[in-house]
Amino acid sequence: DTAVSQTPKYLVTQMGNDKSIKCEQNLGHDTMYWYKQDSKKFLKIMFSYNNKELIINETVPNRFSPKSPDKAHLNLHINSLELGDSAVYFCASSQDWGQTQYFGPGTRLLVL
Amino acid sequence: GEDVEQSLFLSVREGDSSVINCTYTDSSSTYLYWYKQEPGAGLQLLTYIFSNMDMKQDQRLTVLLNKKDKHLSLRIADTQTGDSAIYFCAERGNYQLIWGAGTKLIIKP
């Protein structure tokens, strides 16, 4: 019974391509997040949705577009991928804003 | 602004105690967290402490909170090779958790 799941686990693609990462949580949480973890393991929040509404939108290129079709899903679409987008992307969820977060296993994106 | 700081590395001998330290800036934080990230894995909630507590113990883990100095520590007793990971400290902010950079715990045989 996976609480927070992400697909795909690995993603290798060419520069300039468009790709999507999907996230689903079965915890009944209201809030979901996307994080980017770089090669130095720094964790940076990108977006947060609460009840399908965008709450946090940090300084992220507009090539990144989150979409929340329902409370249990928060997908991340990336247009025109660049080398610097290579990182591990984590999805997380919490019962409400700022509460304890539960993480997915991560999606390792490599842009060639 | 809100900030959380941790040392990037800690090296200990197997069997010794590990103490990972963290400082934070927001004195109004209600919860402070420790997350563990093993190699190639996601972040796992290890433990948390409510701001009105000084200490919390859970088996080999002891969390100490000094609110006056805004200092949080995680002590791991009898450190094992399986404890090798990156440990992230986080404080609860207004809408999100504020994260430290993570401390990589290295275990020497």
Side-chain angles (χ1 to χ4, degrees):
Chain A
D1 289 344
T2 305
V4 182
S5 59
Q6 298 178 225
T7 53
K9 191 171 181 181
Y10 298 96
L11 185 54
V12 181
T13 188
Q14 298 286 337
M15 219 165 43
N17 284 349
D18 303 337
K19 290 293 178 186
S20 291
I21 308 172
K22 294 186 177 181
C23 178
E24 177 181 1
Q25 53 95 2
N26 62 7
L27 297 167
H29 288 169
D30 287 343
T31 309
M32 296 184 73
Y33 311 80
W34 275 110
Y35 286 88
K36 179 180 180 180
Q37 186 177 44
D38 62 23
S39 57
K40 294 183 179 177
K41 305 300 182 185
F42 294 138
L43 201 61
K44 180 182 174 184
I45 190 161
M46 301 173 70
F47 302 102
S48 174
Y49 270 71
N50 187 65
N51 278 318
K52 302 195 303 173
E53 289 189 21
L54 183 64
I55 301 301
I56 295 172
N57 183 357
E58 293 294 311
T59 307
V60 175
N62 57 15
R63 297 182 295 104
F64 290 80
S65 53
K67 283 187 173 54
S68 182
D70 54 58
K71 280 191 344 179
H73 295 84
L74 181 62
N75 303 324
L76 185 64
H77 188 75
I78 316 170
N79 288 328
S80 302
L81 278 155
E82 298 178 358
L83 295 177
D85 297 332
S86 295
V88 182
Y89 292 84
F90 286 103
C91 176
S93 73
S94 63
Q95 185 62 58
D96 204 343
W97 295 350
Q99 293 191 351
T100 305
Q101 294 180 16
Y102 297 86
F103 282 75
T107 295
R108 283 141 189 86
L109 171 65
L110 178 61
V111 182
L112 301 174
Chain B
E2 300 159 321
D3 196 16
V4 175
E5 293 192 354
Q6 305 175 237
S7 299
L8 292 182
F9 297 96
L10 175 66
S11 178
V12 298
R13 291 202 178 281
E14 191 175 354
D16 288 351
S17 292
S18 306
V19 180
I20 303 171
N21 294 304
C22 169
T23 58
Y24 60 97
T25 55
D26 186 357
S27 57
S28 65
S29 287
T30 53
Y31 284 91
L32 294 127
Y33 299 88
W34 284 106
Y35 281 80
K36 176 183 180 182
Q37 184 181 28
E38 294 179 0
L43 277 76
Q44 171 194 359
L45 177 65
L46 204 54
T47 187
Y48 63 90
I49 189 167
F50 190 53
S51 59
N52 69 354
M53 298 169 65
D54 297 324
M55 184 181 87
K56 180 179 180 181
Q57 188 149 6
D58 182 4
Q59 299 182 336
R60 291 191 298 120
L61 304 178
T62 304
V63 178
L64 294 177
L65 176 60
N66 182 331
K67 284 194 71 175
K68 177 175 168 289
D69 294 337
K70 295 182 197 145
H71 182 266
L72 181 74
S73 68
L74 174 69
R75 178 177 180 269
I76 306 172
D78 187 24
T79 308
Q80 304 296 310
T81 53
D83 296 324
S84 181
I86 299 175
Y87 292 81
F88 289 91
C89 170
E91 65 169 339
R92 181 186 287 190
N94 286 332
Y95 301 107
Q96 58 181 305
L97 299 186
I98 312 300
W99 295 87
T103 299
K104 183 167 185 174
L105 179 61
I106 301 163
I107 316 298
K108 296 181 289 188

